[in-house]
Amino acid sequence: MLFAVLCTDKPNSLELRMKVRPDHLAYLEGLGNAVKAAGPFTTDEGAPTGSLVIIEAADRAAAQAFATNDPYAKAGLFAAVEIKAWKWVIKNPEAK
C-alpha cells in the first residue's frame, strides 16, 4: 500500500535541515524500492519548507514507523507530519 508522508518544517529551520540532510538521504536510500518518490516542498524562490515522501508500506503503522525514524523527524525538524493513504493512478510505472 502506498502512503504520502507530508512534512512541514518548523520556522527558521534551514540550518537544521541542511545539517541533517546527509543522514536523511542515506535513510531514504537505505529503504530501496519502498521509496517511490521524495523531495522537498519549497517557496517560490526555492527555499525548502517541508518534505513529501511517497512510500510503500504494509500498513499505516509501518508508514508511521518510517516517518518516526526519519533523521529529520528525530532531529526535531518538523512542525507537523501527516500520513495519507495514496493511490498512484497517473503515470505509475508499476501499473498493470
Side-chain angles (χ1 to χ4, degrees):
M1 181 171 206
L2 295 177
F3 292 89
V5 181
L6 300 103
C7 307
T8 303
D9 290 1
K10 290 179 179 173
N12 304 311
S13 59
L14 180 59
E15 184 177 331
L16 176 60
R17 173 177 272 274
M18 298 315 292
K19 178 182 174 185
V20 180
R21 187 173 188 265
D23 293 335
H24 166 74
L25 294 176
Y27 177 68
L28 294 182
E29 289 291 329
L31 296 170
N33 292 333
V35 175
K36 302 301 180 184
F41 292 112
T42 67
T43 64
D44 291 345
E45 294 75 32
T49 61
S51 299
L52 168 66
V53 179
I54 305 296
I55 186 163
E56 186 170 18
D59 52 30
R60 182 173 299 278
Q64 180 63 58
F66 155 78
T68 300
N69 288 309
D70 185 326
Y72 277 165
K74 287 183 171 185
L77 176 64
F78 300 132
V81 175
E82 186 175 6
I83 299 172
K84 294 184 172 195
W86 187 69
K87 186 173 182 178
W88 194 350
V89 176
I90 306 299
K91 296 190 180 184
N92 181 346
E94 299 175 4
K96 297 174 184 169

